[in-house]
Amino acid sequence: MSDTAGKPPGPGPGPGASATGDGPARRRWRRRLRNSALGTAALLVVAGGAGWAVYARLSGNITADEAAAAELARYERERPTSLVRGAQNILLIGSDTRAGDGNGAYGKDLGTERSDTTILLHLAADRGSATAVSLPRDLMVDIPACRQPDGRRSDPVFAMFNQAFQVGGSACTIRTVEGLTGIRVDHHMVLDFSGFKEMVDALDGVQVCLREPVDDKAAGLRLPAGKVTLDGERALGFVRARESLGDGSDTGRMERQQRFLGALVAKVRSEDVLLNPVKLYPLLDAATSALTTDPELASLRGLYQLARGLRDTPTEQVRFLTVPREPYVYDANRDQLVKPEAEELFARLRADRPVAVAEENSQDVPGAVTGADDPQGPSPAPTFTGRTAADHSCG
């Protein structure tokens, strides 16, 4: 007999109730949960799709320099080998091409382009420091036989450094730099005038500190002394002017470029641009649209991996200097390397060893060894004329 015998029957399932005892409230709760999950999934799909679209757009903006990669592969056996795992050397080339949107305003397109600015950027293996070395365009160097745009090969020549880019583009410039320094160039980037301006404008300008007013008709600049925020157009004039700004030399021009790049690095770091999507996207869109890089860097992932290690590099460890040089013995309007200082610089970068920089009016002598005198201690870093990204003094 059932132990329920004699007990009044309990209430049965009510209208609409299930055999499990779930009521309307539980079903409504489940329906809401299901709808919420579907909504969340839909949002993730949309967000993921938008994120992929942005990624694809930015990656698609970059031009891969396949021709340079093929040319460099042809000479792989002649190229230097990397000595320190993890260290990276990137050649940054500012092209003076007048072709392309926005570049024609800076002169007539003669069908050729030269390297208006060339910087060898060394990133330490631990990313604790970065050293940017300006290579003068008037430096007399050995340029190897290079493949020209028409497919023919040039003859080797001893000429001004910027002729290498004119003759054989980025591959010829890279081979010239490697022959000059013995340093393996791992990556390269080429940026034109218009791209430079757009990058500066994407950051809402970059602030520089001028020690005296600038009134330069040739560069289209009229600026007061002190702190000045330069938009893209004025920034381009500031870094390119040579004939009538300062002492009219390429030395002054490279110093201005280094000061501007230091200020740009400081702004990106101080405003957390790399961690702020709202600020980062316009910069990436401008940068990727203007860049031609080696195939390995020609994607957002490649560029991000390169930049990621630099996020924590202190600005005082981001150094800018010009390779030690002097007037060329046969032509005072050209440059030649100063030895052994230049060779010491190249050797230290090859071995990923530190260098130090100081202003020219510092007590430190460019290329002189400074530091502890203890012969048993570590080898001190030689000091070269230059500055760091943390240096914004108007004095």
Side-chain angles (χ1 to χ4, degrees):
M1 180 181 288
S2 169
D3 59 4
T4 61
K7 293 183 180 179
S18 68
T20 61
D22 290 346
R26 181 179 292 271
R27 287 193 294 111
R28 284 195 300 271
W29 179 81
R30 284 189 170 186
R31 185 165 57 250
R32 289 172 183 165
L33 180 62
R34 182 171 62 253
N35 290 341
S36 175
L38 290 173
T40 300
L43 286 174
L44 288 174
V45 169
V46 172
W52 173 251
V54 169
Y55 177 89
R57 170 186 166 83
L58 294 176
S59 287
N61 284 346
I62 307 171
T63 300
D65 199 347
E66 300 287 356
E71 178 72 356
L72 292 173
R74 179 187 179 98
Y75 292 96
E76 179 60 36
R77 291 185 178 181
E78 299 176 12
R79 301 181 64 196
T81 57
S82 299
L83 299 182
V84 179
R85 181 181 178 86
Q88 293 278 295
N89 298 295
I90 302 99
L91 196 65
L92 310 177
I93 303 171
S95 166
D96 72 353
T97 180
R98 269 60 169 181
D101 293 341
N103 292 316
Y106 303 101
K108 183 178 180 181
D109 182 5
L110 301 177
T112 60
E113 55 181 323
R114 290 172 295 181
S115 51
D116 194 65
T117 299
T118 305
I119 295 174
L120 180 62
L121 175 63
H122 174 78
L123 308 180
D126 63 2
R127 298 303 188 265
S129 68
T131 304
V133 181
S134 296
L135 300 173
R137 59 187 182 183
D138 294 340
L139 187 68
M140 298 301 293
V141 297
D142 288 308
I143 300 175
C146 295
R147 184 179 185 276
Q148 301 175 101
D150 62 6
R152 295 183 299 174
R153 294 206 166 264
S154 64
D155 294 324
V157 63
F158 183 70
M160 286 170 43
F161 172 65
N162 69 343
Q163 188 172 322
F165 195 74
Q166 181 180 1
V167 169
S170 51
C172 191
T173 302
I174 289 168
R175 292 178 57 218
T176 300
V177 169
E178 290 183 339
L180 179 72
T181 67
I183 296 171
R184 171 83 176 207
V185 174
D186 302 293
H187 302 291
H188 71 276
M189 301 181 186
V190 182
L191 181 69
D192 63 22
F193 293 159
S194 181
F196 175 84
K197 290 194 307 179
E198 291 173 4
M199 287 176 59
V200 174
D201 286 335
L203 289 169
D204 295 324
V206 173
Q207 187 180 82
V208 296
C209 199
L210 303 178
R211 294 170 180 165
E212 55 188 29
V214 173
D215 188 359
D216 190 298
K217 293 181 181 179
L221 290 176
R222 189 170 184 176
L223 307 170
K227 294 181 179 179
V228 180
T229 298
L230 302 178
D231 62 11
E233 187 69 41
R234 295 194 299 175
L236 182 61
F238 182 74
V239 300
R240 290 195 65 239
R242 176 178 180 179
E243 297 299 333
S244 56
L245 187 61
D247 61 5
S249 70
D250 205 34
T251 299
R253 191 177 70 99
M254 287 186 292
E255 289 175 351
R256 286 194 305 277
Q257 291 171 355
Q258 293 166 7
R259 277 193 283 139
F260 182 85
L261 289 175
L264 186 148
V265 169
K267 176 161 187 176
V268 170
R269 291 290 304 277
S270 66
E271 297 190 4
D272 289 331
V273 172
L274 295 178
L275 301 177
N276 187 333
V278 175
K279 295 180 179 180
L280 182 60
Y281 177 78
L283 177 61
L284 286 177
D285 191 36
T288 54
S289 298
L291 281 178
T292 297
T293 75
D294 58 279
E296 190 175 344
L297 282 188
S299 71
L300 199 59
R301 181 174 181 270
L303 289 176
Y304 174 73
Q305 289 181 332
L306 184 65
R308 180 178 59 182
L310 292 174
R311 289 185 305 188
D312 298 324
T313 305
T315 52
E316 60 270 17
Q317 294 300 322
V318 179
R319 310 179 186 98
F320 298 91
L321 66 144
T322 300
V323 63
R325 85 272 187 254
E326 62 189 2
Y328 179 46
V329 65
Y330 298 113
D331 186 345
N333 294 318
R334 302 291 180 260
D335 290 326
Q336 65 184 23
L337 294 180
V338 173
K339 300 178 180 179
E341 287 86 347
E343 293 172 337
E344 171 71 3
L345 172 63
F346 299 149
R348 295 188 78 87
L349 295 181
R350 280 196 301 271
D352 197 28
R353 299 175 66 193
V355 298
V357 294
E359 294 283 355
E360 192 169 8
N361 57 4
S362 167
Q363 293 181 351
D364 294 322
V365 178
V369 175
T370 62
D373 295 327
D374 181 4
Q376 303 302 319
S379 175
T383 301
F384 298 88
T385 299
R387 59 185 43 80
T388 73
D391 180 18
H392 298 291
S393 172
C394 287

